[in-house]
């Protein structure tokens, strides 16, 4: 005998659910088997309801056949632990000065505390993930970042030593490929290593962009604490290409902290990534909305 179950939904609510699923279907079909690199940070990484929605989005992507790869930051957590051990945080041009002692704390926080929290969060929502740093399998080969200061009264630029802060020299994708083939979700902490085995703290946006390039990903998504790129009237800009981005930099629309993020996205699409998105991580299910809906919740950047 067939038993009909009742639902606490009215007809309009049920129709809305059906419409959402119908809208998502072509995106599920389009991105099945494709790699999507997501840089996870900001409010999405510190507020409980946003953390839960992020984990569910990543697990859902995997369940419908996509290959999400997560790269995470952890600046606030590093700053908190440094403060607890009595060490002041110092920044030069927005980058944390990282001496040997600070680098030990960076590795502890990024590769241990934060990385494993994200892995556990994904597991709690039904996914299978493996946490890595760039030192695992020589995943992120790095070199020391050279920082210079040049003012009009200086004859030559001054080189500033900010310690173990690096940039990516090479991404070795073997360990990521192995995890994807094993049906795992890689979760990567942005700690790199050079040929001599020295560790480096690297900007997570930069690592995410280089990982996306190396994997020739379908999408790079950078979660931020802003709605995306706004024009001078405060309106959200999207559907940008390289030429339009250059014009927005020239006229001062793109400046300050948004500039390196946009440059990272632009470098990725010029390096072969199909599309990059600056996504508002303060919105519940921001990743899902960007992947599965027509409107999205951020700024889209493509090469052309």
């Amino acid at each position: 005998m067939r038993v009909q179950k009742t639902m606490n939904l009215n007809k309009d609510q049920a129709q809305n659910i059906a419409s959402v699923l119908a809208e998502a279907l072509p995106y599920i079909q389009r991105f099945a088997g494709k790699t999507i690199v997501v840089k996870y940070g900001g409010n999405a990484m510190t507020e409980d309801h946003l953390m839960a929605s992020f984990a569910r989005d990543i697990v859902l992507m995997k369940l419908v056949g996509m290959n999400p790869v997560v790269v995470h930051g952890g600046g606030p957590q590093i700053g908190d632990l440094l403060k607890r051990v009595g060490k002041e945080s110092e920044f030069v041009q927005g980058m944390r000065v990282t001496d040997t002692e600070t680098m030990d704390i960076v590795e502890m926080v990024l590769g241990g505390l934060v990385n494993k929290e994200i892995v556990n969060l994904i597991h709690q929502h039904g996914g299978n993930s493996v946490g890595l740093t760039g030192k695992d399998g020589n995943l992120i080969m790095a070199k020391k970042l050279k920082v210079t200061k040049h003012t009009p009264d200086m004859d030559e630029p001054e080189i500033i030593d900010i310690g173990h802060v690096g940039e990516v020299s090479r991404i070795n994708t073997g360990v990521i490929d192995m995890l994807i083939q094993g049906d795992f979700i890689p979760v990567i902490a942005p700690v790199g290593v050079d040929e001599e085995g020295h560790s480096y703290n690297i900007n997570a946006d930069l690592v995410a962009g280089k990982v996306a390039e190396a994997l020739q990903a379908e999408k790079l998504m950078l979660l931020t604490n802003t709605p995306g790129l706004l024009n001078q009237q405060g309106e959200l800009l999207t559907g940008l290409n390289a030429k339009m981005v250059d014009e927005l930099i020239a006229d001062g629309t793109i400046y300050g902290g948004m500039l390196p993020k946009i440059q990272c996205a632009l470098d990725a699409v010029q390096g072969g990534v199909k599309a990059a998105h600056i996504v508002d991580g303060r919105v519940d299910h921001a990743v899902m909305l960007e992947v599965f809906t027509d409107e999205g919740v951020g700024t889209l950047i493509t090469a052309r």
Side-chain angles (χ1 to χ4, degrees):
M1 183 175 67
R2 182 178 174 186
V3 178
Q4 185 173 354
K5 296 181 179 179
T6 59
M7 297 179 65
N8 295 321
L9 294 175
N10 62 37
K11 186 176 178 180
D12 289 341
Q13 289 172 321
Q15 188 62 52
N16 184 55
I17 292 172
S19 298
V20 169
L21 293 172
E23 183 178 338
L25 179 59
Y27 295 100
I28 294 171
Q29 294 170 323
R30 177 181 172 186
F31 299 132
K34 301 298 176 75
T35 298
I36 298 176
V37 177
V38 183
K39 185 268 178 167
Y40 179 45
N43 285 50
M45 199 170 165
T46 57
E47 296 185 17
D48 289 345
H49 69 104
L50 294 175
M51 292 167 64
S53 73
F54 170 81
R56 286 196 292 268
D57 291 357
I58 294 296
V59 171
L60 178 62
M61 289 166 65
K62 190 67 174 177
L63 286 174
V64 298
M66 302 176 195
N67 296 318
V69 176
V70 178
V71 177
H72 65 83
Q77 293 91 333
I78 293 168
D80 288 345
L81 186 53
L82 286 171
K83 187 175 181 180
R84 282 163 55 190
V85 300
K87 194 171 180 65
E88 290 293 323
S89 294
E90 181 185 353
F91 293 88
V92 172
Q93 297 179 20
M95 291 170 286
R96 188 186 303 277
V97 176
T98 308
D99 59 18
T100 301
E101 183 182 15
T102 300
M103 188 65 225
D104 289 341
I105 290 173
V106 167
E107 287 200 71
M108 185 188 311
V109 172
L110 292 181
L113 178 65
V114 175
N115 188 269
K116 302 317 172 192
E117 281 183 349
I118 298 168
V119 167
N120 187 49
L121 190 65
I122 291 171
H123 289 169
Q124 287 178 333
H125 289 86
N128 288 313
S129 62
V130 174
L132 307 161
T133 74
K135 299 174 81 170
D136 293 304
N138 284 337
L139 169 58
I140 305 171
M141 299 304 297
K143 59 184 178 181
K144 187 180 178 69
L145 180 66
K146 294 181 179 178
V147 178
T148 60
K149 177 182 177 183
H150 197 188
T151 59
D153 60 332
M154 297 170 61
D155 294 330
E156 294 183 357
E158 175 189 358
I159 298 175
I160 304 172
D161 187 354
I162 57 173
H164 294 262
V165 178
E167 58 183 325
V168 176
S169 58
R170 186 174 73 254
I171 299 290
N172 296 319
T173 61
V175 66
I176 302 176
D177 293 334
M178 181 183 67
L179 291 173
I180 290 174
Q181 290 167 14
D183 214 25
F184 290 97
I185 300 167
V187 178
I188 302 168
V191 174
V193 62
D194 68 11
E195 301 292 347
E196 287 74 42
H198 302 124
S199 299
Y200 291 94
N201 183 16
I202 310 176
N203 177 274
D205 288 335
L206 177 61
V207 170
K210 293 302 181 184
V211 167
E213 282 185 53
L215 294 172
Q216 289 295 281
E218 183 74 15
K219 289 178 178 289
L220 166 67
M221 301 177 65
L222 303 174
L223 270 61
T224 72
N225 286 341
T226 67
L229 178 61
L230 305 178
N231 66 16
Q232 294 174 355
Q233 288 73 46
E235 300 163 330
L236 181 67
L237 298 174
T238 191
L240 304 177
N241 58 31
K243 182 175 182 294
M244 296 163 75
V245 169
D246 287 340
E247 291 171 354
L248 291 168
I249 293 173
D251 71 14
T253 299
I254 302 175
Y255 68 97
M258 184 57 75
L259 188 56
K261 199 172 290 287
I262 292 290
Q263 190 61 55
C264 169
L266 191 58
D267 289 346
V269 297
Q270 290 177 328
V273 178
K274 296 287 176 50
H277 305 257
I278 311 296
V279 179
D280 191 347
R282 301 168 303 174
V283 176
D284 275 319
H285 298 291
V287 173
M288 187 189 302
L289 289 169
E290 193 60 56
V291 174
F292 294 120
T293 68
D294 294 333
E295 290 81 11
V297 289
T299 297
L300 166 68
I301 299 173
T302 57
R304 290 184 290 181

